[in-house]
Amino acid sequence: MPVSLGVIGLGRIAQSLLTPLIDRGDFLPHQILGVVGSESSVGKAVKNFPKGLRVVSSDNPNADEVWSSPIKLLAVKPQQLSEIKEKKEENQQLTEKPLMISLLAGVTLSRLQKLFPGHICVRAVPNTPVLVKAGLTGLAWGDGITSEHRLIVKKIFTPISEVFELPEKQLDAFLALTSSGPAYVAVIIEALSDGAVAAGLPRSISNYLSHRTLAGTSLLLKEKDLHPGQLKDMVASPSGTTITALRHLEMAGLRSALIEAVVAAAERSREIA
């Protein structure tokens, strides 16, 4: 059976995309071909999928079959992009240009379209919570995209994330907040846990309480449709513990540090591009 979905690079994000597509029956395992960098990576990738899904190394002659697929997911590391060569002779067998969906941070549509002129290109920026089906994905469309293409791409990402269609110029800011954001949050959780340990709680309890406080607060903001400032004011009573703690955070410049972190990440993304 011809390959319906070709996947170039099978890291954690790519794997998280494939699993629900197979589970829902959108693609049968034998309709998918994955290409990885080396033979040693084949076994690791195969064990995470149902029987029938083929995974080959990039130096395997069968790897060229990936170019016959109408939809391709490009999920290699950005520094490996120069090693990927479009096989135009395979594309000519297709009745219309195939889709190339890139997950590569900082690689612009312009560059993708120069590297893969036989394809209609799409940039996708998913964040790591897609691994637990709680992600956010930004999409920017290349030239020649159709409404049918849009539906196909969104169908790939919606099982594991909320999808936002954005102008490409906004993807750097989207990445700086959503893709880098989990690292900022992880540092905050770790710091809160450290503070609780310093104040007298055991580490195991401090870690758990930090996680649950963040999760519960996020859910409260969402479910009650509260502005963060509203929730802060609900918690901070006159001369209380919370307002005292907030004074320390303001003096330490936490708010400014987070703002500048997002701006710096966005600027770095533009530099990489």
Side-chain angles (χ1 to χ4, degrees), residues 21-49:
L21 294 176
I22 295 170
D23 290 344
R24 294 193 316 176
D26 294 329
F27 294 93
L28 298 175
H30 57 268
Q31 293 177 309
I32 300 172
L33 175 63
V35 179
V36 293
S38 64
E39 191 63 36
S40 62
S41 299
V42 172
K44 297 176 185 177
V46 167
K47 69 180 182 180
N48 295 316
F49 296 108

Side-chain angles (χ1 to χ4, degrees), residues 21-167:
L21 294 176
I22 295 170
D23 290 344
R24 294 193 316 176
D26 294 329
F27 294 93
L28 298 175
H30 57 268
Q31 293 177 309
I32 300 172
L33 175 63
V35 179
V36 293
S38 64
E39 191 63 36
S40 62
S41 299
V42 172
K44 297 176 185 177
V46 167
K47 69 180 182 180
N48 295 316
F49 296 108
K51 185 178 180 181
L53 189 149
R54 287 191 299 150
V55 180
V56 299
S57 62
S58 57
D59 58 359
N60 187 311
N62 293 325
D64 284 351
E65 289 183 45
V66 77
W67 295 102
S68 67
S69 62
I71 306 169
K72 299 173 191 68
L73 191 64
L74 183 63
V76 298
K77 295 177 180 178
Q79 58 267 33
Q80 297 173 316
L81 181 59
S82 60
E83 301 171 17
I84 311 299
K85 304 296 182 185
E86 181 183 70
K87 300 293 190 300
K88 295 183 180 179
E89 67 275 9
E90 297 292 341
N91 290 339
Q92 289 172 357
Q93 298 176 15
L94 300 171
T95 57
E96 60 180 23
K97 280 188 175 184
L99 276 173
M100 175 67 78
I101 306 168
S102 169
L103 305 186
L104 279 63
V107 179
T108 64
L109 285 170
S110 175
R111 185 179 176 196
L112 288 168
Q113 288 166 345
K114 286 180 181 178
L115 290 170
F116 307 106
H119 289 74
I120 294 172
C121 296
V122 178
R123 277 188 68 186
V125 180
N127 65 351
T128 50
V130 299
L131 300 176
V132 292
K133 300 181 180 180
L136 297 166
T137 298
L139 297 175
W141 310 108
D143 295 338
I145 201 77
T146 67
S147 57
E148 183 180 356
H149 291 143
R150 292 173 190 257
L151 288 175
I152 290 170
V153 175
K154 286 189 280 189
K155 194 173 184 179
I156 291 173
F157 290 95
T158 50
I160 59 171
S161 65
E162 188 174 354
V163 171
F164 295 82
E165 300 175 70
L166 299 169

